[in-house]
Amino acid sequence: MSEKLLQLNGLCVRYSTRVMEVDAAKDVTFAVDRCATVGLVGESGSGKTTTALALMGMLREPGRVVSGSAVFDGVDLASLSPEAHAAFRLRRIAYVPQGAMNSLNPVIRVRSSLAHVFKEHGVRLTTRELDQRAAELMDRVGLGTDVLQRFPHELSGGMKQRVCIAIATALGPDLIIADEPTSALDVVTQRQIMETLQRARAELKSSMILIGHDMGLMAQSVESVVVMQAGQVVEQGPVRQIFAAPRAAYTKELIGAVPRLDEDPPARTSSASPAARRVADHPLLEFKGVSKVYQAPYGQGGEVVALKPIDLVLGGKDPQIISIVGQSGSGKTTLASLVLGFSKPSSGDILFDGVSTSRMSEAQLREYRRHVQAVFQDPYSTFNPFYRVDRTLRLPLKNFGIARTQVDAQPLMEEACAKVGLNPGEILDRFAHQLSGGQRQRLMVARALMLRPRLLVADEPVSMVDASLRVSILDAIRSLRDEHGISIIYITHDLVTAHRVSDHVIVLHKGDVVEAGKPAQVLRHPSHPYTKLLVGSVPWPDPDITWGDGADVGELTREIAALPRRPVRTRSEDGEFMVETCA
Amino acid sequence: MSEDAMTKSAELSYAMRTGALGRRLRLGWYYLIANPNLLIGMVLLLVLVAFSLGGQIFWDTRLAYPLSAPVAQPPMPGHPFGTDTAGRDLLAVMILGTVLTMKVGLIAGAIGVAIGTLLAFAAGFYGGWVDRIVRTVVDIVLTVPGLLVLIILASTLQGIISSTSMALVIAALAWREPTRQIRSQVLVMREAEYVKMARMSGSRGWQIILFDMIPNLLPYLGATLVAAVAGAVLASVGLEALGLGPRQEPTLGMTVYWMMTESAFVRGLWWWIIEPLIVLIILFVGMYLVSIGLDEFANPRLRKRT
């Protein structure tokens, strides 16, 4: 019995089409010990998923392994027939694909999904044995047995992901390959999922390959790291060595791209430049007892409180960035859609520049639209796929009468592109799918910049962008405030970026403000247990810091849910920012 | 996977709208090879169009009316498709019949999809009470058996009905399915972020519908149109075979009707039986293949290979 569980030797995966050949993985060599955790890190397109698929024998046409070997427990996976490979899947090697939680069969209960797993792999179980095994599995991933009788749509994202882990570990594999298991989940759920995965792995004494692009997560989750770039392994080693003394420039870049809570954010470049200062009689934006309640459809009774009544004042004298942080379901997107006018408050009133938005005339509403703009989460779907990207920039110029003709619009668009570091000649006549995620999101920032709105709502602008690009986009957003006098409401679940960019932070929990104030105070010295939990769930890009001091997240969550509502009232010294919970 | 397919679809439509003509044609050809349903369907329909257009140029279509040829003759020189018992030249009948039947289908299908699109956007995009009314009305009229209404309408108009007025009668019911199908697409697309972005950019509702949503729905509208045309052709042939069609016009369905009333089966006039059937089969199979081919284009998730 060899010591290594898995040994990749010069693995090459090639996709050949009629037009060209692409080597998605080039000469990949690394090893996984028994009972070890290995991180496979790189940006999108670096070949990490391709490598995993090759191990699973799940490469799709026209991809194939052209050379090299992947010896797993004495068997070369690269030379196995599809049938022989199938016998390995799930029994010996389990794969949790990206977005696995959305691949559960929506029309069968969790119990049936588990039953299928056993049946498909030739494990004959009586009903009672199945119930027992299923209960054990649920226990392993920290879910109750009641979940077995539910359908996937009755579960939250985190619960579905746990069910997927239960399925992956059902047959006791020797190796678990998890492909970005926590992408699209918030920090607290991410921490819970990673803990679940680690516990299940330790229980089975199996190894794990964790695929991802977030160095913070890697530092907290794995023992050694393999860094991939453009299909090649550029560096590998124990996680401490990689973080303490990275050799490859690319590794340094990846580590450097993760902002840290203990770093002071860069200072405002031109704080309160005279041009940005306004004489204002009214605050820019004011919430007066605003709440949002969603009524359940006819005959189903009940209602969901998405946002409990709050007062909020955002001053107009000095541009500022307000971060609204919280998990999914905390009401932060509800708040954004209220500000943007996509939904109407259930109670209270929203005032913009002293004018109630509910009493605005048609002309005033158009003016409001012009002055309140947004950058959305998904930089791909914000572009109409039918048009070149310049239309997205030109449309508001035309509609708001800023530039009536193409000749007037062109220089404005080019100037805005140049300001966010894009080459207008290269970018403007392309279609969205031809641009990278970072370029698309920068273009949205350019659009905002061109319109010079007074308020910009940025809803998770960097959560779908590779970690290495986040900082540059955030800096572009910050320059909107510093150089162009635009106030920004920055909505995110990522506390570290909130800390980096904002002047004030509001922490939302289940539609209620639990804490607010300066980021340095709220995020470095949190007082509310929920804020503490959020801060504790941030994966530090430092293997020597233990994730959340090892506290149990589930228990903390229950404690927080049982806390009585605590009124919050925060006001900045200059009166430019105020938030208060209403009874 | 779906993101990937979306990208491919966007890439294709991008390439089709830019690039040199030669490149566009080549890409279009590659796509058609990858989507054989669409290719074969289009070839079948083109054959029919070429047959009827070419026929009108090279053949005397006045022969399609009674008493212009010897009666009940099998295919022979001068009348390669044979003649019927009323002395019509069947080649001329097929040429004109194909045109007339396609015309009925196109008019009825186009009106149906146009009304359906209007209603679907009014209901799906604006929502509220408009949506409630449209939805309820569509739900109710969908339960009405179409053939029954058509037979009542057509038999009331019997004698004075022409192929055009029959198309309008069929159009009166052809908007139901398109309304429901397009509305569901509008509901999904309304939540797309680029639609929100257009709103943020100060576009008005009708501008968003016209310039942001409809362009992206074009392949889907195309597939819906083909399906509606096929449904309309089926309805018209059905009505005509029952004898409720335009008696003065040599449509395909009327040919079937005359063939049945004149007992072509008993009298062994085989050419009269198989000729309209072959044309109808080519027409239906062609439209069916184009419809599922376009569906595959419009809905990349169905796409197996590109």
Side-chain angles (χ1 to χ4, degrees):
Chain A
M1 198 159 116
S2 67
E3 200 198 332
K4 305 282 186 207
L5 178 68
L6 176 70
Q7 174 73 53
L8 273 77
N9 242 325
L11 192 75
C12 282
V13 178
R14 179 171 297 165
Y15 285 86
S16 353
T17 63
R18 219 176 328 187
V19 198
M20 56 175 171
E21 293 189 333
V22 180
D23 287 327
K26 284 174 255 181
D27 194 19
V28 176
T29 302
F30 67 89
V32 180
D33 287 329
R34 286 176 195 280
C35 226
T37 50
V38 174
L40 204 51
V41 199
E43 283 173 58
S44 26
S46 60
K48 37 193 210 308
T49 298
T50 301
T51 307
L53 290 176
L55 293 177
M56 297 301 295
M58 282 161 60
L59 282 173
R60 271 192 302 182
E61 285 292 320
R64 64 202 163 84
V65 177
V66 285
S67 64
S69 64
V71 181
F72 175 81
D73 210 5
V75 182
D76 183 9
L77 294 173
S79 61
L80 281 184
S81 68
E83 294 76 29
H85 230 134
F88 269 82
R89 250 173 255 151
L90 223 50
R91 280 180 158 260
R92 306 293 310 275
I93 311 179
Y95 181 56
V96 185
Q98 199 169 3
M101 56 186 186
N102 299 321
S103 60
L104 289 172
N105 187 339
V107 295
I108 61 175
R109 295 175 200 275
V110 170
R111 184 179 178 278
S112 311
S113 288
L114 286 170
H116 278 296
V117 171
F118 291 115
K119 204 175 145 208
E120 290 297 319
H121 290 82
V123 183
R124 289 166 165 276
L125 295 174
T126 62
T127 311
R128 185 185 291 172
E129 282 170 338
L130 174 65
D131 283 335
Q132 198 193 339
R133 290 283 284 272
E136 283 169 17
L137 285 171
M138 287 298 109
D139 186 52
R140 181 186 285 161
V141 297
L143 292 174
T145 45
D146 57 312
V147 171
L148 288 170
Q149 296 308 324
R150 294 207 222 162
F151 288 100
H153 72 264
E154 298 173 309
L155 305 173
S156 71
M159 288 164 96
K160 279 190 274 188
Q161 192 63 291
R162 283 163 190 238
V163 170
C164 289
I165 295 172
I167 290 173
T169 57
L171 300 172
D174 300 311
L175 176 65
I176 302 166
I177 303 178
D179 194 347
E180 308 222 1
T182 58
S183 64
L185 297 172
D186 58 66
V187 277
V188 176
T189 317
Q190 165 170 287
R191 185 173 142 201
Q192 281 176 301
I193 293 296
M194 286 316 299
E195 280 172 3
T196 307
L197 203 50
Q198 294 284 22
R199 204 178 319 123
R201 188 195 66 78
E203 207 174 291
L204 294 169
K205 296 195 171 53
S206 46
S207 303
M208 176 169 75
I209 298 179
L210 179 68
I211 298 176
H213 63 92
D214 181 352
M215 287 307 271
L217 184 62
M218 289 299 159
Q220 296 301 331
S221 314
V222 297
E223 292 155 1
S224 57
V225 175
V226 178
V227 184
M228 286 187 77
Q229 182 188 23
Q232 276 171 316
V233 174
V234 292
E235 184 167 4
Q236 56 181 305
V239 67
R240 284 205 160 68
Q241 181 196 315
I242 293 275
F243 274 90
R247 284 192 312 270
Y250 182 66
T251 316
K252 286 179 196 154
E253 211 177 290
L254 280 180
I255 297 171
V258 186
R260 297 171 60 129
L261 265 183
D262 55 357
E263 272 172 1
D264 280 319
R268 288 177 77 144
T269 43
S270 54
S271 180
S273 66
R277 271 198 102 83
R278 291 167 193 270
V279 187
D281 307 329
H282 303 285
L284 182 64
L285 183 77
E286 194 173 358
F287 273 37
K288 280 187 176 164
V290 171
S291 74
K292 182 72 191 175
V293 179
Y294 287 102
Q295 219 75 39
Y298 258 170
Q300 289 176 25
E303 50 184 35
V304 180
V305 181
L307 188 67
K308 290 183 185 163
I310 58 163
D311 286 344
L312 176 76
V313 171
L314 188 54
K317 289 203 190 82
D318 205 8
Q320 47 187 336
I321 298 182
I322 310 290
S323 287
I324 299 182
V325 297
Q327 286 173 266
S328 29
S330 61
K332 52 193 201 307
T333 299
T334 303
L335 200 144
S337 91
L338 286 171
V339 173
L340 292 172
F342 287 136
S343 62
K344 303 232 169 305
S346 307
S347 73
D349 200 3
I350 299 171
L351 279 75
F352 184 75
D353 226 358
V355 184
S356 160
T357 51
S358 61
R359 260 170 277 155
M360 280 184 180
S361 67
E362 193 67 20
Q364 279 175 311
L365 267 176
R366 273 176 88 74
E367 198 57 20
Y368 177 66
R369 284 238 175 280
R370 196 201 140 165
H371 286 302
V372 181
Q373 285 292 325
V375 173
F376 291 127
Q377 177 172 23
D378 180 353
Y380 184 64
S381 63
T382 39
F383 290 94
N384 192 328
F386 192 77
Y387 298 101
R388 291 162 209 262
V389 292
D390 60 345
R391 183 203 183 241
T392 306
L393 270 66
R394 200 180 318 113
L395 191 65
L397 290 180
K398 195 169 127 250
N399 282 336
F400 293 129
I402 300 170
R404 295 258 172 226
T405 64
Q406 171 75 32
V407 183
D408 295 340
Q410 199 63 29
L412 289 175
M413 299 196 295
E414 285 177 4
E415 191 193 327
C417 282
K419 275 189 185 151
V420 294
L422 293 173
N423 180 349
E426 266 177 26
I427 302 285
L428 284 175
D429 59 348
R430 304 256 198 132
F431 284 81
H433 70 268
Q434 298 174 305
L435 304 178
S436 71
Q439 286 173 323
R440 290 175 203 147
Q441 201 60 299
R442 260 187 241 197
L443 207 52
M444 292 319 291
V445 175
R447 176 184 172 282
L449 191 153
M450 209 174 53
L451 294 176
R452 300 276 167 92
R454 298 187 53 198
L455 181 64
L456 181 76
V457 177
D459 190 354
E460 301 270 15
V462 294
S463 71
M464 290 177 75
V465 179
D466 269 339
S468 57
L469 292 169
R470 285 183 185 168
V471 171
S472 73
I473 289 170
L474 285 173
D475 287 347
I477 287 177
R478 240 194 11 229
S479 78
L480 290 178
R481 172 194 65 187
D482 295 347
E483 284 158 35
H484 306 284
I486 300 171
S487 286
I488 294 161
I489 295 181
Y490 174 59
I491 290 173
T492 184
H493 66 252
D494 182 354
L495 295 129
V496 188
T497 57
H499 175 256
R500 191 178 162 91
V501 299
S502 52
D503 299 307
H504 300 283
V505 180
I506 299 174
V507 184
L508 277 184
H509 175 54
K510 300 208 164 141
D512 206 5
V513 176
V514 294
E515 199 166 352
K518 293 264 175 210
Q521 173 220 331
V522 173
L523 298 179
R524 285 199 194 166
H525 312 287
S527 68
H528 193 279
Y530 181 67
T531 321
K532 282 183 190 157
L533 172 65
L534 278 180
V535 173
S537 299
V538 172
W540 285 73
D542 185 342
D544 291 321
I545 295 176
T546 315
W547 206 354
D549 309 324
D552 183 64
V553 182
E555 206 167 297
L556 280 175
T557 316
R558 276 189 291 281
E559 277 171 27
I560 292 164
L563 284 179
R565 191 177 183 218
R566 212 196 283 182
V568 174
R569 186 185 155 79
T570 308
R571 192 186 183 88
S572 68
E573 296 124 37
D574 54 2
E576 286 289 273
F577 168 75
M578 193 276 284
V579 64
E580 186 175 357
T581 51
C582 316
Chain B
M1 165 63 217
S2 85
E3 165 107 1
D4 184 44
M6 288 292 290
T7 313
K8 282 204 179 119
S9 144
E11 250 164 58
L12 183 76
S13 66
Y14 157 72
M16 292 297 291
R17 275 177 288 127
T18 55
L21 183 67
R23 187 176 139 75
R24 273 193 235 189
L25 287 177
R26 204 169 60 239
L27 278 166
W29 177 242
Y30 281 152
Y31 179 72
L32 282 177
I33 289 176
N35 190 345
N37 287 329
L38 193 57
L39 178 65
I40 297 171
M42 280 169 63
V43 167
L44 289 178
L45 292 183
L46 280 177
V47 165
L48 274 191
V49 169
F51 166 72
S52 58
L53 289 185
Q56 290 186 65
I57 297 168
F58 296 111
W59 197 253
D60 184 3
T61 50
R62 282 172 304 178
L63 296 175
Y65 296 94
L67 306 176
S68 48
V71 295
Q73 293 298 311
M76 61 178 192
H79 300 289
F81 278 34
T83 62
D84 71 2
T85 52
R88 300 180 184 93
D89 171 59
L90 284 176
L91 176 55
V93 169
M94 288 306 116
I95 291 167
L96 274 190
T98 308
V99 179
L100 287 172
T101 302
M102 281 180 157
K103 186 186 86 179
V104 172
L106 277 175
I107 293 177
I111 293 178
V113 171
I115 296 176
T117 309
L118 265 172
L119 287 177
F121 273 99
F125 188 75
Y126 291 102
W129 59 269
V130 183
D131 188 28
R132 241 174 273 167
I133 292 174
V134 169
R135 218 172 47 206
T136 315
V137 170
V138 170
D139 281 349
I140 292 171
V141 294
L142 266 176
T143 63
V144 176
L147 197 60
L148 181 74
V149 176
L150 290 179
I151 288 174
I152 293 172
L153 273 175
S155 54
T156 318
L157 297 169
Q158 206 183 355
I160 56 166
I161 203 164
S162 68
S163 57
T164 312
S165 55
M166 191 170 66
L168 297 178
V169 168
I170 294 167
L173 285 179
W175 53 273
R176 301 175 299 173
E177 290 86 0
T179 305
R180 176 175 271 191
Q181 289 159 2
I182 298 167
R183 176 179 166 273
S184 66
Q185 295 289 318
V186 172
L187 283 182
V188 174
M189 197 178 270
R190 191 180 62 174
E191 297 303 316
E193 299 218 323
Y194 62 80
V195 171
K196 282 190 187 170
M197 203 32 98
R199 213 176 260 277
M200 305 267 356
S201 302
S203 290
R204 293 164 205 272
W206 63 268
Q207 289 172 319
I208 295 177
I209 292 176
L210 221 53
F211 302 120
D212 285 278
M213 298 174 81
I214 288 190
N216 287 301
L217 271 180
L218 280 178
Y220 188 83
L221 291 178
T224 312
L225 179 65
V226 176
V229 170
V233 169
L234 188 65
S236 80
V237 172
L239 282 179
E240 288 165 348
L242 290 171
L244 298 169
R247 286 165 177 260
Q248 281 74 36
E249 291 174 77
T251 66
L252 294 175
M254 287 316 291
T255 311
V256 173
Y257 171 69
W258 296 126
M259 174 265 281
M260 290 192 299
T261 47
E262 295 289 318
S263 326
F265 282 94
V266 181
R267 296 162 71 177
L269 310 175
W270 54 269
W271 57 95
W272 199 7
I273 301 166
I274 60 166
E275 282 161 10
L277 286 186
I278 288 174
V279 176
L280 282 172
I281 288 171
I282 296 177
L283 184 58
F284 277 115
V285 171
M287 286 192 293
Y288 172 73
L289 289 177
V290 168
S291 171
I292 54 174
L294 278 177
D295 215 28
E296 201 173 295
F297 180 73
N299 190 354
R301 270 176 222 191
L302 292 177
R303 210 176 292 170
K304 288 159 294 249
R305 45 187 168 156
T306 27

